[in-house]
Amino acid sequence: MMKVEKKPAFISIRTKLLILFCVLIFLPLIALSTLSYNISTRAMTNQAVKSTATLLDANVANIESVIREVESTSSYAIVNKDIRSYLTMTSVDSDPKLASALIDNIKGFIEFILISKGYIHSVEFRGVDDRQIAYGSRFIGNEEEWIDKAVQERGKITWTGRYENGDIHHEPIISLVRVINDYNAIDKALGIVIIRLKVSKVNELIQSKDSGAIAGTLLLDHDSNSITEQRSEPGDKFQLDSSSIQQLVNSEGKPVDDKDNLLLYKKIAYTGWGLISWVDKDHLFKESRSIQFYTILIVAISIATVLYASWLIFNWILKPIERLTKMMKKVDDNYFRKITGIRSKDEIGLLAANFNAMMDRIHDLIDKEYKLTLKQKEIELHVLQMQINPHFLYNTLDMIRWKARIEKAMETSRLIQVLSTLFRLSLHRSGTWVELKDEALYVRSYLDLQQQRLGARLTCEIDIEDELLASYVPKMILQPLVENSIVHGMPGQQKPMHITVRSTRLSAGDAYHIDIIDDGLGADTQALSDLIAYTGEGSHGMRNVYLRLSLWFGDRFRMEFLPAAAGTHIRLTIPFVDTIPAESSQ
């Protein structure tokens, strides 16, 4: 009776490590610490967003209050009889006493406005005959852009962007510009009212410098250009680009996370302006860093404990793995020996057994490979012995050519000479690189033979610039492309086909074009592009040329398929090489 060997119990490494992790509460501790940190951070963020939104609403209310007051002032000025009478007076019918009385009344009205509203820089009225009244601080500058826009609005309020006063102080201002229309003819403008505001006073309406986590506030005009801003830190270089501003405009009051800052946006009524406040997350989370520190400390202690426990069980798990690793490394040094001394019944023991089985397999493969190599050498020697001596071939062709000349078969003699040249260039061009003139001569010889075969159905032209003849290229890069034109461009075509091979040096001088053009049947440029990009099995002359030139020149080489009225136009862009590269000169 056959005795069945009892297999020992298999204990996996996973089971062994599970005992360790059950004792050390490692992952739960990390999860709890991370959760506590995230909750505290989220609470701080929500509180900062809430307080910032409240302050932003208050600032918007302050600015809107000023906007309403200024617009109300402009409306009162428009209906003021004294202002309308003065603006419509002309130099012909004006009464000096009446004009003086009107000016006094207007002056009193404007002075009251300037005293009661300290944020107003100046007020100006312009009427017919260049009649003009200006009160308040002196203004120097050109406001025609805003006046033209106000005229187009036909009485509607126009708010300008920020611009500077041209006096010595260069104080920034923003203005309300509005047309005063005739009651009887609403399309007729009687004049213009301009109420200028001090940007510095508008800036005082914004409260953000002493508001905790708020790093800054920015007031934008209707074109998203800055009117004024406040920053809690002078060195703060935070800037908003146009895409971030558009994202804020579309956020509908919700906070936007911009990497280092939280941003909130509020639209200001009546003007199309917007107010943006941002919170520095680094400052916001400053208090939570202590929690983060203790979290990292606890995790570090836990990791140290696990490492210590791992060291205690080194001989249990890690030492056999280390021995197995050393034996595997020796394989790189052709040391194919079995591993001994590992008898554990777990994954490590299984790896050792598989390693030994692999060593047996490698020995078998080495033996087979040695025999195959010897057989291959015998085959190569046999092939070499059967090759024709090139000198014998040249001498034979030369003898046949002279025999043809003696028999006055001059065309036959010429064709034999062309064939001899083709063989000589093909067999004697050792190495990878040849001069472009030799490559062109090879193509010309090939085309001479093809013309003799095809007769009037094939014409050709080869035009290589003289300065490019000495440039080195990998050999056999043109003939496959020319052959492709003949094989694929001529079948079934009744009319003769013309092939042109030409070169053009680029203006930079470090590269040149080689164009292979035919007027044959043509091919789809996308299909040709797919052909050279094909990575499967099989071979094609055009793809071989593409791969060889790509390997030598990398990104400096291009193969393009240009549109052609008829046929196919292939363009090679090749760097100019005046010496044989070192890799192939040997």
Side-chain angles (χ1 to χ4, degrees), residues 120-362:
I120 294 181
H121 173 275
S122 58
V123 179
E124 182 176 341
F125 298 93
R126 299 184 185 180
V128 298
D129 290 345
D130 295 328
R131 190 175 296 276
Q132 184 174 345
I133 307 176
Y135 295 96
S137 301
R138 183 185 180 191
F139 173 77
I140 301 175
N142 187 347
E143 298 172 310
E144 294 302 320
E145 174 188 356
W146 308 111
I147 292 175
D148 292 342
K149 188 173 181 180
V151 171
Q152 294 176 4
E153 293 295 333
R154 297 183 177 183
K156 294 182 181 180
I157 294 173
T158 299
W159 282 98
T160 72
R162 169 176 169 153
Y163 59 104
E164 289 187 353
N165 189 357
D167 65 357
I168 59 175
H169 301 291
H170 297 287
E171 182 180 12
I173 58 176
I174 52 176
S175 301
L176 178 150
V177 185
R178 190 173 185 181
V179 171
I180 303 175
N181 291 321
D182 192 335
Y183 286 147
N184 299 320
I186 194 65
D187 292 331
K188 179 180 179 182
L190 301 180
I192 295 287
V193 56
I194 303 175
I195 303 178
R196 304 182 184 94
L197 279 64
K198 303 174 183 177
V199 171
S200 59
K201 293 298 182 180
V202 175
N203 190 52
E204 292 176 2
L205 299 173
I206 301 173
Q207 305 172 20
S208 67
K209 290 185 177 180
D210 301 321
S211 53
I214 295 182
T217 300
L218 177 64
L219 178 61
L220 301 176
D221 64 17
H222 47 78
D223 291 328
S224 298
N225 296 317
S226 174
I227 295 177
T228 183
E229 67 177 23
Q230 291 185 8
R231 296 178 184 265
S232 58
E233 294 293 337
D236 183 11
K237 296 182 180 179
F238 172 69
Q239 297 292 335
L240 281 170
D241 55 25
S242 58
S243 61
S244 297
I245 293 175
Q246 187 59 42
Q247 184 181 3
L248 281 168
V249 172
N250 298 331
S251 65
E252 299 180 352
K254 296 178 181 179
V256 175
D257 193 341
D258 188 39
K259 189 178 179 181
D260 297 326
N261 299 276
L262 288 173
L263 299 96
L264 283 90
Y265 173 86
K266 187 76 173 180
K267 185 176 180 180
I268 298 175
Y270 313 110
T271 61
W273 297 351
L275 194 63
I276 299 174
S277 290
W278 63 91
V279 177
D280 185 357
K281 289 196 290 187
D282 185 66
H283 177 77
L284 175 63
F285 300 147
K286 187 175 183 180
E287 296 179 2
S288 65
R289 289 202 185 99
S290 59
I291 300 176
Q292 186 180 23
F293 170 77
Y294 286 113
T295 300
I296 295 174
L297 180 62
I298 293 172
V299 172
I301 294 174
S302 301
I303 292 174
T305 304
V306 172
L307 291 176
Y308 178 72
S310 300
W311 179 79
L312 291 178
I313 60 172
F314 171 79
N315 290 327
W316 186 17
I317 297 176
L318 297 181
K319 191 173 181 179
I321 294 178
E322 184 180 61
R323 291 185 59 194
L324 183 59
T325 302
K326 288 181 179 179
M327 291 299 296
M328 289 181 175
K329 288 183 178 179
K330 288 183 179 181
V331 174
D332 292 338
D333 299 326
N334 296 326
Y335 185 84
F336 304 109
R337 297 294 178 88
K338 294 183 178 181
I339 188 170
T340 59
I342 298 179
R343 296 184 177 87
S344 59
K345 305 303 178 182
D346 54 19
E347 287 89 347
I348 298 175
L350 185 60
L351 283 174
N354 289 337
F355 177 83
N356 290 336
M358 183 182 67
M359 291 297 101
D360 292 335
R361 180 62 177 164
I362 288 176

Side-chain angles (χ1 to χ4, degrees), residues 18 104 140 147 158 282 314 367 385 395 430 452 480 529 554:
L18 183 61
D104 290 338
I140 301 175
I147 292 175
T158 299
D282 185 66
F314 171 79
D367 185 61
Q385 290 173 348
N395 293 337
S430 60
Q452 184 64 28
S529 300

